[in-house]
């Protein structure tokens, strides 16, 4: 719980800086790149977590990562700040919170659409348009195939599930018939 509060605080501060500089999406991409790099290299991530390495050695490694990824000055300073404050362990949660704040700021919603079979691009476009119309926000749709679905689609937006699957419709009919 405390970890999440810390991550949210850092993420919110960086989103505010990004908004001031007009670089919210750029910062998001840069943070994600660093997080992905550390996630793909557990040995490198272990160095940052280990108390056996001095802060100077960690800073040199971080500066090299910043240079290779070509990060902006603001994100570079941010990463050095969280390193100096021993908060680099929270980077995955910071990135997640940052993405959430950035989406909120730009009016983007990222629902997941599940279907039993692959959908045509025109079907996905129609669903996306309907969701944009009903939410009033820009939709970035994540589409996945769930072989457990007999047919229809299930859309999850945040904590809300819109279940238009055949399985749910059959269950409703069964429930109605049992109740008489």
């Amino acid at each position: 719980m405390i970890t999440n509060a810390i991550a949210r605080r850092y993420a919110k501060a960086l989103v505010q800086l990004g908004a001031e500089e007009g670089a919210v999406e750029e910062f998001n991409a840069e943070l994600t790149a660093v997080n992905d790099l550390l996630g793909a290299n557990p040995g490198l991530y272990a160095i940052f977590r280990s108390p056996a390495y001095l802060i100077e050695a960690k800073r040199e490694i971080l500066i090299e990562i910043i240079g290779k990824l070509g990060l902006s000055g603001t994100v570079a300073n941010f990463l050095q700040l969280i390193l100096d404050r021993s908060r680099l362990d929270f980077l995955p949660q910071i990135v997640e919170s940052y993405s959430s704040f950035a989406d909120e700021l730009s009016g983007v919603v990222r629902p997941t659409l599940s279907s039993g079979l692959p959908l045509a691009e025109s079907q996905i476009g129609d669903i996306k348009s309907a969701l944009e119309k009903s939410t009033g926000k820009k939709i970035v749709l994540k589409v996945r195939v769930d072989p457990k679905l007999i047919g229809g689609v299930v859309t999850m937006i945040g904590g809300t599930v819109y279940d238009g699957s055949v399985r749910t419709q059959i269950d409703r009919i069964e429930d109605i018939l049992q109740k008489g």
Side-chain angles (χ1 to χ4, degrees):
M1 186 75 161
I2 292 173
T3 302
N4 197 29
I6 292 168
R8 290 178 60 79
R9 192 173 333 129
Y10 280 101
K12 191 169 193 171
L14 188 60
V15 165
Q16 289 172 344
L17 287 172
E20 289 172 12
E21 294 181 25
V24 173
E25 290 302 317
E26 177 187 334
F27 289 0
N28 194 15
E30 291 178 7
L31 278 179
T32 301
V34 173
N35 191 45
D36 291 348
L37 177 73
L38 293 177
N41 297 293
L44 181 61
Y45 194 58
I47 290 172
F48 286 115
R49 298 181 74 180
S50 173
Y53 291 91
L54 297 175
I55 189 74
E56 292 81 17
K58 293 177 184 180
R59 192 174 292 116
E60 286 179 30
I61 294 169
L62 183 62
I63 289 170
E64 190 173 323
I65 291 170
I66 290 167
K68 288 195 188 276
L69 293 177
L71 303 180
S72 65
T74 304
V75 172
N77 290 338
F78 176 78
L79 291 170
Q80 289 176 9
L81 173 79
I82 63 173
L83 175 67
D84 290 343
R85 294 195 176 166
S86 301
R87 302 288 194 216
L88 202 59
D89 286 355
F90 302 138
L91 187 61
Q93 294 95 340
I94 292 171
V95 171
E96 185 179 321
S97 294
Y98 184 94
S99 294
S100 176
F101 286 134
D103 286 350
E104 194 176 301
L105 184 68
S106 59
V108 173
V109 178
R110 298 180 188 274
T112 301
L113 175 70
S114 302
S115 66
L117 298 170
L119 297 173
E121 288 299 320
S122 61
Q123 292 171 312
I124 294 170
D126 291 345
I127 293 169
K128 182 179 174 184
S129 296
L131 290 171
E132 285 177 343
K133 186 175 179 182
S134 68
T135 62
K137 298 186 179 214
K138 182 180 177 200
I139 299 293
V140 177
L141 204 55
K142 177 183 176 190
V143 180
R144 67 182 191 93
V145 175
D146 183 356
K148 293 178 186 174
L149 292 176
I150 298 170
V153 296
V154 177
T155 305
M156 180 182 267
I157 301 176
T160 307
V161 176
Y162 299 96
D163 192 342
S165 67
V166 172
R167 167 62 52 210
T168 300
Q169 292 174 19
I170 290 172
D171 289 345
R172 284 183 188 147
I173 292 170
E174 181 183 4
D175 188 48
I176 290 169
L177 290 174
Q178 285 179 351
K179 289 181 180 176

